[in-house]
Amino acid sequence: MPTADFVTVDVFTTERFAGNPLAVVPDARGLTDRQMQQIAIEFGYAESTFVLPPENPQNSARVRIFTPTMEIPFAGHPNVGTAYVLGQRADLFGRPVGDTLRFEEIAGLVEIKLLREAAEVIGATIRAPRPLEIGVEIEPGLIAGCVSIDTKHIRTTGHKPVFASVGLAFAIAELDGLEPLAAARPNITLFREAAARHAGAGLDFPVFLYVRSPENPFAIRARMFAPLDNVMEDPATGSASAALSALLVTRAPEENAQAHVTIEQGVEMGRRSIIELDVVKAGGTVTDVAITGRCVPVMRGSIDV
């Protein structure tokens, strides 16, 4: 019976059994689309990745990302974790693994720099594959209903709830405090209504809630819910964090800026994650978003396919 080797890692953390778990199949040659989806379902993580030889030999690999229900064009923690896993290897499809990687993905080319302490790979920094795209605004009451809180807790002074993306779209909303953030619970019926109302705006209406620190507006606590994608809550969402960071820096009054954003997520789940982001703005436009995270290994083995 054919098998596929796998590695799992916890991403955006320095502690095992914290952060966001990820399953990586470092060599997915021979697997069909259906088998990749079945493996992602079997793991049940927010995402699993499958590494294939690049179509362009100048790149490092082609990386496919699957949630338990579908293939997606881009996500933050799968790229950080996959780069970490591949960074442990001496070669990748016959070529040496250096300090930089380039992944071909549906959303575009993802550039990655491995983080090292001495000679050991400890994580990675990735760059968002697309510029910020701001979509339609969302009725605050719709967001509030989806997460079972009072509409009064949705802040609209900085921005109204809105779809934003740097490769994968999220419904992003600011709350007025940590108490309503902690109280949020997904209401699947209302998520279905919201997804039907905003069909095509985002995959299954994933909602990213956040609260800014009064002392430092770029220190943020967040939660992400995507129950229609079988992810009741995600402990770390790099793609949503990147979209939020780009959105906030875009709306800041400075024409030119370099902002460092720290997003803490997964606290309410008992899987605390730390996502570091660096955003560059020039001439009023965000030109670069880098997402940095550390990783720890958890499991390795093989799957009968």
Side-chain angles (χ1 to χ4, degrees), residues 38-76:
Q38 287 177 321
I39 291 170
I41 293 169
E42 186 70 17
F43 275 108
Y45 294 159
E47 289 98 10
S48 299
T49 63
F50 301 84
V51 183
L52 296 160
E55 295 180 350
N56 182 342
Q58 293 183 347
N59 300 325
S60 305
R62 182 161 69 100
V63 176
R64 300 182 66 180
I65 306 170
F66 285 80
T67 75
T69 61
M70 71 180 77
E71 184 174 11
I72 59 175
F74 170 75

Side-chain angles (χ1 to χ4, degrees), residues 148-167:
S148 309
I149 63 173
D150 196 299
T151 305
K152 69 181 182 181
H153 294 302
I154 307 288
R155 291 194 65 183
T156 58
T157 51
H159 66 85
K160 293 181 179 179
V162 66
F163 285 101
S165 170
V166 290

Side-chain angles (χ1 to χ4, degrees), residues 1-6 25 31 35 38-39 42-43 301-305:
M1 180 179 293
T3 62
D5 292 338
F6 71 87
V25 176
L31 293 180
Q35 287 171 328
Q38 287 177 321
I39 291 170
E42 186 70 17
F43 275 108
S302 60
I303 303 172
D304 293 333
V305 293

